[in-house]
Amino acid sequence: MNTQPIEASPERPLKLGTRASPLAMAQAYETRARLCATHNWPETMVEIVSVTATGDKILDRPLADIGGKALWTKELDAWLFDGEIDFAVHSMKDVETLRPEQFCIAAVLPRADVRDVLVGAASIHAIPPGARVGTSAPRRAAQMLHARSDLTIVGFRGNVATRLAKLQAGEADVTLLAAAGLQRLEQTGVGTPLSEHEWLPAPAQGAIGIECLAANERVRAYLSAIDDQLTHNAVMAERALLKALGGNCHSPIAVLTTHHETSLTLRAAIYSPDGAERIEAHETFAPGDIEGPQRLAHRLLADAPESVTVHFSGE
C-alpha cells in the first residue's frame, strides 16, 4: 500500500458509484472511510451515488442466462464513461474478466475472509440425503455435487437477506453464502464456514476493487494510496487464470491463493457442471508474472476431459 497521502484535496467532492444493494453499500462505506482516513479528508469529500443494477432487478433466472457478470457493472460503466461518477466500487468476484480498456482497477482493498458459509446444516456430510441446495453459482453447484451426488441443486438468486428468506420459506434445505459478505453486513453468526483448503473459493472472493477511468491520473493517484498490494497481486493472478482458461458464467472454477515471501501459489480446480469430473493443479510464480496463471490454466485444460473443457474456451 502507498503510505504517502497526496497533499492536495479535490476541488469538489469525488463521486463514488455503487450498486444499491445492502452489501454493495457497505463496501462503498468502507471504501469512503479508508480513502478519507488516508488523505485526512472529511467524509463529505466523497459522495456515494447508488444505482440498482440490472443483476439486482432480475432474480428469477440464473445470471449466466441473462447476460452474465456485466449485469453487475454496466450501469456504473456508463456513469464512468459519462463522467457522472469519478470511480466505482465492485465485489471483484462479480467483475467480468475482460473489461473495457478505458477502465483501470486502481485499488483493491485488503481481502476479507475467502470462505463460503454453509447455511442450513452443520457440515456438508450432515446435509440430509436428497436435500435441495439453493444456489445459482456453477462453482458451488459443481463442488457440492462432486462431494454429494445425491443432492439436488435448485436456482437461488438475490442478496443475502433474500436468500436467507427463501431458505426460511422452504425453497431449499441448505444454501451457501460468502463469509466476507456476511461479515460486512455484521451477520457473522449465520451458518458454518467451510475450510478454504477443502472447499475452494471463487476467484477474487472477498476482495473489493475500485475502478476509475485509466486516463484520470489524479483519481488513480488518490485511489492508489489505499491499494493493498498483496490482495491486488492475488486478485490479478486469479483473474489472469480466468482469462487463460476462457472461463465464463457457466464455467465451474475454484481457486485458492497462498502468499509466500516472494511468490504466490495458485491452487485451482475446474469441474464439469454436474460435479462428476474434477481436475486440480497448482502453480507457484512471482507476483505480476501472468505466465504463471497461464501455465496453470494450460495444465488444467490439458488434463481435463471434454465434459469439462466444453465449458471453457482457453487453449
Side-chain angles (χ1 to χ4, degrees):
M1 181 187 296
N2 180 359
T3 59
Q4 297 297 320
I6 299 168
E7 294 297 329
S9 295
E11 295 179 355
R12 58 166 178 79
L14 297 174
K15 293 186 176 183
L16 168 57
T18 177
R19 289 164 49 200
S21 72
L23 178 55
M25 292 298 293
Q27 294 177 162
Y29 294 142
E30 179 179 346
T31 300
R32 179 174 66 181
R34 288 180 180 273
L35 194 60
C36 292
T38 297
H39 294 295
N40 295 315
W41 296 340
E43 287 197 345
T44 53
M45 288 306 300
V46 177
E47 177 186 349
I48 294 177
V49 183
S50 64
V51 63
T52 300
T54 303
D56 289 315
K57 297 175 184 176
I58 306 173
L59 302 178
D60 60 343
R61 284 164 284 169
L63 195 68
D65 294 344
I66 56 174
K69 291 183 177 181
L71 297 185
W72 298 131
T73 58
K74 70 176 187 176
E75 285 87 0
L76 295 174
D77 286 355
W79 282 1
L80 275 177
F81 274 127
D82 294 342
E84 295 185 34
I85 57 174
D86 298 291
F87 52 104
V89 62
H90 301 293
S91 293
M92 285 304 300
K93 73 181 181 66
D94 293 333
V95 177
E96 62 269 34
T97 307
L98 300 178
R99 297 288 289 141
E101 62 182 11
Q102 295 93 331
F103 296 150
C104 168
I105 301 295
V108 182
L109 301 188
R111 198 169 199 168
D113 195 331
V114 300
R115 295 177 296 175
D116 274 345
V117 171
L118 178 66
V119 185
S123 67
I124 293 174
H125 177 74
I127 299 172
R132 297 161 300 156
V133 181
T135 183
S136 292
R139 171 189 64 91
R140 287 171 172 160
Q143 282 194 108
M144 188 61 78
L145 291 172
H146 182 77
R148 292 284 306 274
S149 60
D150 62 296
L151 302 178
T152 300
I153 304 298
V154 296
F156 227 54
R157 283 199 52 230
N159 61 32
V160 170
T162 298
R163 281 185 276 174
L164 289 176
K166 288 182 176 181
L167 188 67
Q168 185 67 29
E171 294 185 26
D173 300 301
V174 298
T175 191
L176 294 147
L177 299 169
L182 290 170
Q183 290 169 6
R184 288 172 180 140
L185 292 171
E186 300 182 348
Q187 297 186 42
T188 53
V190 173
T192 303
L194 301 174
S195 168
E196 69 272 29
H197 300 287
E198 298 175 6
W199 178 276
L200 298 182
Q205 184 151 315
I208 297 172
I210 307 151
E211 193 169 46
C212 67
L213 292 176
N216 194 332
E217 295 182 2
R218 171 55 69 87
V219 170
R220 288 180 65 177
Y222 287 138
L223 296 175
S224 71
I226 60 171
D227 183 49
D228 183 78
Q229 196 62 56
L230 282 177
T231 303
H232 201 136
N233 289 339
V235 167
M236 292 304 111
E238 292 169 18
R239 288 173 63 80
L241 173 67
L242 283 175
K243 181 179 179 182
L245 283 169
N248 56 49
C249 287
H250 295 280
S251 310
I253 309 167
V255 61
L256 179 67
T257 299
T258 303
H259 296 273
H260 311 291
E261 188 173 343
T262 59
S263 64
L264 299 174
T265 295
L266 288 192
R267 175 187 166 203
I270 57 178
Y271 298 78
S272 58
D274 63 2
E277 300 288 347
R278 180 183 189 273
I279 309 301
E280 181 181 325
H282 69 274
E283 184 80 18
T284 299
F285 48 89
D289 174 13
I290 63 170
E291 293 184 0
Q294 290 173 349
R295 289 193 300 271
L296 177 56
H298 294 162
R299 190 156 71 255
L300 286 166
L301 293 175
D303 292 344
E306 185 180 359
S307 60
V308 175
T309 58
V310 69
H311 301 286
F312 298 85
S313 61
E315 298 179 356

